Amino acid sequence: MTIPDTFARTAQARKPFVFPDPPEDRDDKMTNYDQQAVTGRTHYLIEHLGNPETTLVIGERYLSLVPTRDMTGLTYPDLLVAFDVKPEDYYLRSAYVISEQGKPPDFVLEVASRSSGRRDVEDKRETYAGLLIPEYWRFDETGRYHGARLAGDRLVNGEYEPIDIEELDGGSLQGYSAVLNLNLRWSPSGRPPYVDGLARGLARGILGWHDPATGQHIATLGSERAARVAAEARANSEREARVAAEAYANSERDARLAAEARLRELEEQLRRQNP
């Protein structure tokens, strides 16, 4: 064996094991795609939480207690949020490994599909509680696979307790995530009415992230665009008001100068008449 061969084998031995891609379930992926990817909801959450150097907002990659080549029993959440972690270690492994990050994720969300519904409600709930994940949320656009459209659990003394879900005007459902300091809200309208380019029919609603301080959805491209348009309209209105005020001031000045000129003219006429 040559020295270069020895170096190559040593480097290969030191290279960390990269987790494989989770098995693909078309039904599950399309449901998650509809609710997160095509709507941009995950992107908005990433932008809202910020701190990409220490905050992970990812999904559809393995979650494991320790490094392992055995994927049996491992979950791959649709959405995972972890604060104060090392994103570079996650990307190096292509998985969230709790022993390497030093803590479990703070938040996990599963989006229901026909094939995953029972596991989400039973098996994964037990798994995530065992991993001491502070919050586990479930979203089911139909309400059939989870038994509820929106549900969440919060870890209390090592066990999950249900998070209160309230019904809002218009039929929306909402629950508060203390971990994210956001309200998760299912709204019965706004869902993209297509899958694979085909009409889906009646919209089943969509999941959104709402700021409890304002009651409004966190910033989106649409809201940012609307805010920019409103700011531009406000600036134009203020500019028009300023131009109008300046025109009025100029008119007042011109009127005053004309009046002063007329007064001088009258005084001059009087002076001539009464030398």
Side-chain angles (χ1 to χ4, degrees):
M1 180 180 295
T2 65
I3 291 178
D5 287 340
T6 302
F7 284 157
R9 288 178 177 271
T10 301
Q12 186 175 11
R14 290 177 178 173
K15 184 178 179 180
F17 168 69
V18 178
F19 282 64
D21 291 340
E24 184 170 349
D25 183 317
R26 180 174 176 79
D27 180 43
D28 183 52
K29 282 190 175 296
M30 285 309 304
T31 304
N32 193 35
Y33 173 80
D34 286 349
Q35 288 297 332
Q36 297 194 92
V38 75
T39 63
R41 275 354 188 228
T42 301
H43 170 74
Y44 303 146
L45 184 61
I46 292 171
E47 293 296 312
H48 177 79
L49 296 178
N51 301 319
E53 298 82 7
T54 58
T55 299
L56 266 175
V57 182
I58 47 91
E60 298 185 346
R61 287 292 182 270
Y62 280 111
L63 167 62
S64 179
L65 184 60
V66 296
T68 179
R69 294 178 183 270
D70 182 4
M71 305 298 113
T72 305
L74 296 186
T75 61
Y76 36 97
D78 290 320
L79 182 65
L80 177 155
V81 179
F83 300 106
D84 301 318
V85 292
K86 297 166 284 188
E88 64 275 11
D89 287 353
Y90 163 79
Y91 292 113
L92 196 63
R93 288 282 192 191
S94 192
Y96 190 99
V97 180
I98 294 175
S99 64
E100 293 181 341
Q101 295 292 349
K103 62 187 288 289
D106 297 278
F107 175 100
V108 164
L109 169 74
E110 297 286 5
V111 178
S113 68
R114 181 178 291 103
S115 61
S116 70
R118 186 195 61 79
R119 295 198 310 274
D120 292 346
V121 174
E122 299 175 7
D123 301 342
K124 292 179 185 179
R125 186 175 187 272
E126 183 177 343
T127 296
Y128 294 146
L131 294 175
L132 301 181
I133 295 174
E135 286 187 3
Y136 171 39
W137 287 80
R138 296 170 299 285
F139 174 68
D140 179 355
E141 63 182 14
T142 67
R144 295 197 305 267
Y145 308 130
H146 286 166
R149 286 189 166 93
L150 181 64
D153 289 299
R154 183 171 294 120
L155 198 68
V156 179
N157 297 324
E159 296 184 357
Y160 276 146
E161 293 185 358
I163 294 172
D164 291 336
I165 303 297
E166 60 177 326
E167 184 171 352
L168 308 178
D169 293 341
S172 295
L173 300 175
Q174 178 173 283
Y176 175 67
S177 167
V179 165
L180 303 182
N181 189 29
L182 288 173
N183 286 322
L184 278 73
R185 183 183 299 177
W186 172 84
S187 298
S189 61
R191 184 183 189 280
Y194 57 82
V195 170
D196 284 344
L198 301 176
R200 189 70 172 278
L202 182 64
R204 294 172 177 170
I206 198 165
L207 181 67
W209 313 94
H210 288 71
D211 187 342
T214 64
Q216 301 299 311
H217 196 285
I218 60 176
T220 67
L221 293 177
S223 66
E224 290 290 299
R225 185 183 302 112
R228 185 174 65 252
V229 169
E232 291 173 353
R234 187 165 53 249
N236 289 337
S237 177
E238 291 173 353
R239 181 171 58 253
E240 290 171 358
R242 185 173 60 253
V243 169
E246 291 173 354
Y248 179 77
N250 291 337
S251 175
E252 289 286 295
R253 184 182 64 249
D254 292 344
R256 185 179 65 253
L257 292 176
E260 292 173 351
R262 178 58 179 164
L263 180 59
R264 287 193 298 271
E265 181 181 347
L266 291 174
E267 290 176 344
E268 180 63 22
Q269 290 176 359
L270 288 174
R271 186 182 64 79
R272 291 175 181 173
Q273 293 173 359
N274 301 288

